[in-house]
Amino acid sequence: MLLSAVLSSPVLAGAMIGAEYVPSGLGDLAWVKEEQLSGSLVAETDGVLVPPLRLVGGYAWGRNGVVGSFSMARIATTVITTDSESTSIRTGLRPSVDYRRWMMDPAVGTPLFYLTAGVYFVIPFAEETAEDASKEDREALEEAAKEAKGRIGAIGGNIGLGGEVRWDNGLGLGIRSVLVVTRFDSSNVETQTVSSLIRSETALTLSYWF
């Protein structure tokens, strides 16, 4: 009875782990067809760093909650010939954090709606090395790595709303819909390119509350 009373409490604070699923659509196919991928395979819009199924974790107290996630993608290619060896590495790290504000006191067995806003960063790493490279070759490799980092790195945010239902056993099922804004900034010796992307994203959510 005590456990049931705690779970039914309007405060219902505690930790959460969960998963979010974002179905692919025609927009993803059009993005690929129009050759809008970064070429690094590990950038925000390449599909590897941000997969359709994502794990999240967080904590809620009263009507407030914080939810975060972390993902990583890395590709390393080594080419070995009879004369030399070269290595190319591309890495993207993506931490994110969202704040949620429920519109009512959390409880079990009833729909709960919330407002959400968050930020994320794509931290880029890139390296180009080659054995016995001349000074000019090293400079060219450094410039290629710098350009790759520009294509990988990004900063963004989201704002929207969601809803969920929680049960006595700790499980929760819901849906979240947000507007996502992403900013990219890449440059090379001659040019600097700044791009922004605004898109909607709807996710199905499954959570377990401790």
Side-chain angles (χ1 to χ4, degrees):
M1 294 181 61
L2 178 60
L3 179 60
S4 176
V6 171
L7 289 174
S8 301
S9 169
V11 178
L12 205 65
M16 177 273 287
I17 59 172
E20 298 182 346
Y21 176 67
V22 180
S24 300
L26 291 177
D28 299 284
L29 299 177
W31 191 263
V32 174
K33 184 177 179 181
E34 295 299 320
E35 299 181 350
Q36 295 298 312
L37 302 181
S38 71
S40 69
L41 298 180
V42 299
E44 169 78 10
T45 56
D46 289 342
V48 179
L49 182 64
V50 188
L53 184 63
R54 313 161 193 174
L55 296 179
V56 299
Y59 188 85
W61 64 99
R63 295 191 180 188
N64 305 291
V66 176
V67 177
S69 66
F70 178 82
S71 61
M72 170 184 173
R74 181 180 186 272
I75 181 171
T77 304
T78 300
V79 179
I80 302 175
T81 67
T82 56
D83 298 326
S84 64
E85 176 179 332
S86 62
T87 301
S88 175
I89 300 175
R90 303 285 186 269
T91 304
L93 305 178
R94 187 184 188 275
S96 68
V97 61
D98 294 342
Y99 170 75
R100 293 182 181 179
R101 173 68 180 181
W102 277 270
M103 301 178 187
M104 65 282 292
D105 291 330
V108 296
T110 184
L112 304 172
F113 300 98
Y114 59 85
L115 301 175
T116 180
V119 295
Y120 67 87
F121 305 90
V122 179
I123 305 171
F125 295 92
E127 183 179 2
E128 295 280 351
T129 60
E131 288 185 348
D132 301 325
S134 64
K135 180 179 179 181
E136 291 76 11
D137 290 338
R138 288 196 300 270
E139 291 176 351
L141 292 172
E142 291 175 358
E143 182 60 33
K146 180 180 178 182
E147 185 176 351
K149 289 176 63 177
R151 295 197 307 269
I152 299 170
I155 183 174
N158 66 77
I159 186 170
L161 51 82
E164 64 180 356
V165 176
R166 303 180 197 173
W167 290 280
D168 288 334
N169 58 8
L171 290 177
L173 184 64
I175 188 170
R176 174 183 59 82
S177 183
V178 296
L179 192 66
V180 182
V181 180
T182 307
R183 183 182 185 276
F184 310 90
D185 185 351
S186 61
S187 62
N188 54 34
V189 177
E190 298 178 349
T191 62
Q192 180 178 10
T193 304
V194 178
S195 305
S196 62
L197 172 66
I198 302 176
R199 59 186 174 85
S200 61
E201 178 182 278
T202 300
L204 302 175
T205 64
L206 177 65
S207 58
Y208 182 80
W209 294 83
F210 296 92

